[in-house]
Amino acid sequence: MSTTIINSDASEPGKLHRSINWTGAFWVASGVPALVLFSIGGIAGTVGTLAFAVWIVSMIMGFIQSFTYAEIAGLFPNKSGGASIYGASAWVRYAKPIAPLSVWCNWFAWSPVLSLGCSIAAAYILNALAPVPAIDSAAVIDWIAANGATLTVPDADKAAAAVSALTPYIRTWTLFQTTLGPVSLSLNAAFFIGALLMLLTFAVQHRGILGTAKVQKYIGLVVIIPMVIVGVVPLFTGGVNWSNFSPLVPLATAYAPEPGAWNIAGWTLVLGGMFIAAWSTYGFETAVCYTSEFRDPGKDTFKAIFFSGLLCLALFSLVPFTFQGVLGLNGMLATPIVDGSGVAAAMAHMVGGGTLIESLLVMLMILALMLCLMTAMAGSSRTLYQGSVDGWLPKYLSHVNEHGAPTRAMWTDLIVNLVVLAIACADATSFFFILAVSNCGYIIFNFLNLNAGWLHRIDSGHIARPYKAPTFLLALGGIFAFVNAVFMGAGAKVWNPMALWAGVITAALIIPVFFYRHYIQDRGQFPAQMLEDLGVRPGEAISRKAGILPYLTLVAGVAVVFLSNWFFKT
């Protein structure tokens, strides 16, 4: 299989367009650092003073893993959809259902970025337009002075009564709400604001990858700069209190400012932090989601993921470090920080500058989330598209419009995420349940694809590679696959007792879909292009050189997850 690219198909109808280089993918992936806004409060509330270390270690792991993804992406210059597509091509030789499982898990890991990001952005907008008064604000004090004598509640509860009375009606209004198992669902003001933001993202994506990259370049510049400011300025202004980094022990109990110990309960909380951090820090692998849209994928693929990784390595290390250094443990455990609604305001306050600067930085954080939403829709829709083209997902998803945008996949993203948005906007418990279930899919995808690196070496070692990762990094990635399995088994239940089982069930939903597509619609045959990408000629059998190793790997991975879940307890 050749990796030479012919540009004449750049605008071929019905296909994605070859219209960007590595810098375009870099700007599309530049929304990934904003993922820190999703769980920085939750991780701080879970692991306490170890939060900054969790982010740094997780980011280093993600950076090392990316070298495996860079290699396998280079094997498929005519595919789009990201590492799950390239990894699925390794597993399809040994177990057909594992290939769509990889693609599906990557999609339901990335797609909820849309709904979760919109819920946070909507909370920021509501905080700006209709703020809830602080319990020690002048407005609350004045209200108690005017109405306190008529209250029948104890004096200690009068401030809470004042906050409730002064809270704008729009903050509590809902058109509809209900409970669905372990989560709630609400069509409240945040839902409708989030839905509008989601539709705006769809409109930008509709123009294709080149238009998306151009828009994100300018938004990215506007957003990355303030995130760098937030990460750097407190280091030079004396805002960082170094005592906020000790003692380096886990919390005794999540969301309570009491130091614990390095026992099983403490390690369980730390593994829970590593589990949820991976959802953000590993995310820059989306930079290789656009291989079939690169003008020269042989050169662009490695550059895209490497430089995106460097950007994330800097921001995912700096921002949580200064965040913790300024706020301290008690500050990080405040409710607006844990539920995410007050993170942007807290970051803005870290750099000082008064109300105007604070308001400006909050708006820039909203832009950061918009950037993140566009990154998510661009990547997740292409995963659906390529999965359909390769014969793993429903046929209708393989359609693109005149701009080369996979619009049916985008509509699928949009509709699913409107439902998830109603859950995410209900409360913090529902938000983190969605995040944890989503990350179960992400860990499964990472496990399969990190092991796909050595599988491709065995089965496709004869194929020229534009980039070949050092063997020790490939091996380290395989080890990290099992470390990630420990994070999932031990850590998912930290966020919700049902998260692991819900994640496994969600992952399994793709099996009947694949069986319908492959055995009923395609009569047990894969599309010719998918086989050609594997270097298999028509009528030729698919070679399997790894023997029993892939099956042993799968069994070992499942065992690690469930043994970790059994052993680690809070």
Side-chain angles (χ1 to χ4, degrees):
M1 182 181 65
S2 171
T3 57
T4 303
I5 300 308
I6 300 173
N7 290 323
S8 61
D9 67 343
S11 58
E12 185 177 340
K15 291 188 177 182
L16 300 176
H17 295 179
R18 292 199 181 278
S19 54
I20 60 172
N21 57 18
W22 74 268
T23 58
F26 172 87
W27 288 118
V28 175
S30 65
V32 171
L35 291 175
V36 74
L37 300 173
F38 286 59
S39 53
I40 192 169
I43 289 176
T46 302
V47 303
T49 55
L50 290 166
F52 80 99
V54 164
W55 284 104
I56 293 172
V57 172
S58 182
M59 186 60 237
I60 291 172
M61 286 182 63
F63 190 66
I64 292 172
Q65 291 168 180
S66 71
F67 288 87
T68 298
Y69 297 154
E71 175 175 325
I72 65 176
L75 291 171
F76 303 101
N78 297 313
K79 287 186 183 293
S80 189
S84 64
I85 298 292
Y86 318 135
S89 298
W91 285 101
V92 74
R93 298 174 184 270
Y94 299 93
K96 285 183 179 181
I98 299 300
L101 178 67
S102 173
V103 177
W104 168 253
C105 285
N106 189 25
W107 177 75
F108 85 76
W110 258 108
S111 185
V113 173
L114 289 169
S115 48
L116 298 178
C118 284
S119 71
I120 296 175
Y124 291 171
I125 291 171
L126 283 172
N127 282 346
L129 299 179
V132 176
I135 200 164
D136 58 350
S137 66
V140 168
I141 294 172
D142 291 343
W143 189 93
I144 294 174
N147 302 279
T150 63
L151 295 178
T152 57
V153 298
D155 290 343
D157 296 331
K158 288 183 178 179
V163 170
S164 178
L166 294 171
T167 296
Y169 175 68
I170 194 172
R171 300 301 297 266
T172 56
W173 173 85
T174 181
L175 181 65
F176 172 79
Q177 62 183 5
T178 188
T179 300
L180 299 173
V183 298
S184 300
L185 182 148
S186 178
L187 301 183
N188 53 20
F191 169 82
F192 288 102
I193 294 172
L196 288 175
L197 296 175
M198 206 178 292
L199 288 170
L200 178 61
T201 302
F202 183 94
V204 174
Q205 295 284 315
H206 195 271
R207 300 170 57 212
I209 192 63
L210 180 60
T212 299
K214 287 180 177 178
V215 171
Q216 294 208 195
K217 176 180 180 179
Y218 297 108
I219 297 179
L221 284 171
V222 171
V223 167
I224 291 171
I225 291 172
M227 291 194 74
V228 171
I229 291 172
V230 167
V232 172
V233 167
L235 295 173
F236 293 97
T237 60
V240 173
N241 183 347
W242 300 101
S243 65
N244 289 336
F245 299 98
S246 62
L248 283 176
V249 294
L251 293 175
T253 306
Y255 309 115
E258 181 182 344
W262 287 104
N263 51 23
I264 291 178
W267 272 109
T268 303
L269 290 177
V270 171
L271 293 173
M274 291 296 297
F275 167 74
I276 218 71
W279 187 81
S280 300
T281 56
Y282 299 176
F284 68 95
E285 47 83 14
T286 191
V288 295
C289 203
Y290 316 99
T291 309
S292 67
E293 294 167 275
F294 285 146
R295 297 191 187 102
D296 186 355
K299 295 180 179 178
D300 291 330
T301 301
F302 176 75
K303 290 181 179 179
I305 195 169
F306 180 74
F307 287 107
S308 296
L310 288 180
L311 172 68
C312 289
L313 187 62
L315 291 180
F316 277 118
S317 299
L318 275 173
V319 173
F321 182 83
T322 53
F323 186 79
Q324 180 174 333
V326 174
L327 266 65
L329 183 58
N330 288 324
M332 292 191 298
L333 294 178
T335 299
I337 302 300
V338 172
D339 67 20
S341 63
V343 169
M347 287 185 172
H349 184 69
M350 285 162 53
V351 300
T355 304
L356 178 62
I357 298 298
E358 183 172 327
S359 299
L360 177 62
L361 281 172
V362 169
M363 295 308 296
L364 288 176
M365 292 301 174
I366 295 173
L367 272 180
L369 288 168
M370 290 299 297
L371 186 68
C372 190
L373 301 181
M374 287 189 280
T375 296
M377 181 171 279
S380 61
S381 61
R382 280 157 179 79
T383 299
L384 292 179
Y385 164 82
Q386 191 66 52
S388 175
V389 170
D390 284 344
W392 299 325
L393 300 181
K395 282 187 174 181
Y396 83 94
L397 294 167
S398 60
H399 171 80
V400 299
N401 69 3
E402 67 276 13
H403 302 295
T407 45
R408 289 181 184 172
M410 289 162 56
W411 275 111
T412 301
D413 258 349
L414 184 70
I415 293 169
V416 169
N417 273 281
L418 284 174
V419 176
V420 179
L421 178 65
I423 298 173
C425 288
D427 52 50
T429 299
S430 299
F431 178 95
F432 282 112
F433 177 79
I434 294 295
L435 184 56
V437 171
S438 169
N439 198 44
C440 285
Y442 201 46
I443 296 299
I444 294 172
F445 144 70
N446 272 280
F447 180 87
L448 294 173
N449 282 269
L450 289 170
N451 285 296
W454 58 263
L455 274 177
H456 275 307
R457 283 278 183 98
I458 294 174
D459 288 316
S460 305
H462 61 288
I463 297 177
R465 286 156 164 76
Y467 168 75
K468 188 173 183 178
T471 302
F472 82 93
L473 287 180
L474 202 71
L476 196 54
I479 294 171
F480 283 170
F482 288 93
V483 175
N484 287 326
V486 174
F487 296 162
M488 176 176 162
K493 61 185 176 183
V494 170
W495 302 92
N496 191 289
M498 296 299 296
L500 176 61
W501 312 111
V504 171
I505 292 170
T506 304
L509 292 177
I510 194 58
I511 304 302
V513 175
F514 168 70
F515 271 67
Y516 175 78
R517 167 68 196 269
H518 185 65
Y519 292 104
I520 296 179
Q521 288 190 316
D522 294 344
R523 302 183 183 279
Q525 300 295 318
F526 284 110
Q529 180 62 50
M530 194 278 283
L531 296 175
E532 182 181 331
D533 287 338
L534 287 177
V536 178
R537 296 183 179 87
E540 185 179 57
I542 298 177
S543 64
R544 301 175 180 87
K545 301 176 184 178
I548 198 174
L549 286 177
Y551 307 105
L552 291 177
T553 300
L554 291 175
V555 171
V558 172
V560 167
V561 169
F562 290 112
L563 285 173
S564 300
N565 182 263
W566 167 79
F567 180 78
F568 289 98
K569 298 177 176 64
T570 53

